[in-house]
Amino acid sequence: MALQSFGVVWCASYDESSADNTVWANAVDKLRLDKWLWAARFYKTRSLAAHEVGKGKVSVNDQLAKPAREVVVGDLVAIRKEGALVTVNVCGLSGVRGPATVARQLYTETPESRAAREHAAEIRRLAPEPAREIASGRPTKRDRRQIDLLRGK
């Protein structure tokens, strides 16, 4: 039985390792990639999603895609955002942008992608603060005059 809310078609649970994958898509069988990325809240606007797909930052099933590429439940979508690669399985289709809790149910992130994202966040957390190296900030007018004297100007 498929659950529908906010124009969304859900799958029960998609697991690549399972031999009996039950995938449900009654009302909407296919959806444009840019529209799905927008509805799943990966991008703020649909035109931004189409622009990023056009730049080659999104692939579907390990193939570069165009914005009009149709995605179906069970596709593997890889999205490169801010230098990180997020890989998700499409678990539901929606033509409308609903709340974040509904959008989160449109996909499941792969364990490898989740581990890589958490590792990158840990590295950023442990990195030194770049602004800490600046002790006194911008030079004052007096400091600039002294620097000019030292340089011989």
Side-chain angles (χ1 to χ4, degrees):
M1 153 194 290
L3 301 174
Q4 291 187 351
S5 64
F6 291 101
V8 180
V9 179
W10 307 103
C11 67
S13 64
Y14 182 78
D15 183 17
E16 288 183 359
S17 61
S18 173
D20 181 30
N21 288 328
T22 305
V23 177
W24 300 345
N26 294 353
V28 182
D29 291 337
K30 298 177 182 178
L31 191 67
R32 283 179 57 111
L33 177 61
D34 59 345
K35 195 169 190 178
W36 184 84
L37 289 169
W38 167 74
R41 292 183 170 258
F42 284 104
Y43 297 103
K44 192 167 185 141
T45 64
R46 186 172 167 190
S47 62
L48 180 61
H51 185 68
E52 294 295 309
V53 172
K55 289 196 308 188
K57 295 197 175 191
V58 178
S59 63
V60 178
N61 297 329
D62 296 325
Q63 295 178 350
L64 285 179
K66 293 183 179 180
R69 164 85 189 259
E70 292 184 333
V71 292
V72 295
V73 174
D75 279 348
L76 186 68
V77 179
I79 307 152
R80 183 167 300 282
K81 284 185 75 170
E82 290 121 18
L85 182 66
V86 179
T87 307
V88 297
N89 287 318
V90 177
C91 193
L93 300 175
S94 174
V96 295
R97 186 175 170 104
T101 54
V102 173
R104 180 67 181 100
Q105 296 173 354
L106 292 177
Y107 61 91
T108 55
E109 189 173 4
T110 61
E112 298 85 15
S113 174
R114 183 178 295 123
R117 186 173 43 84
E118 290 171 355
H119 178 68
E122 185 69 18
I123 288 175
R124 280 192 308 273
R125 188 182 70 79
L126 296 175
E129 176 66 33
R132 190 170 284 183
E133 296 174 3
I134 304 172
S136 60
R138 184 176 168 178
T140 62
K141 188 171 186 177
R142 181 173 182 237
D143 293 338
R144 285 195 308 267
R145 286 180 180 157
Q146 289 177 347
I147 291 170
D148 287 343
L149 286 175
L150 289 173
R151 290 184 178 168
K153 291 184 179 180

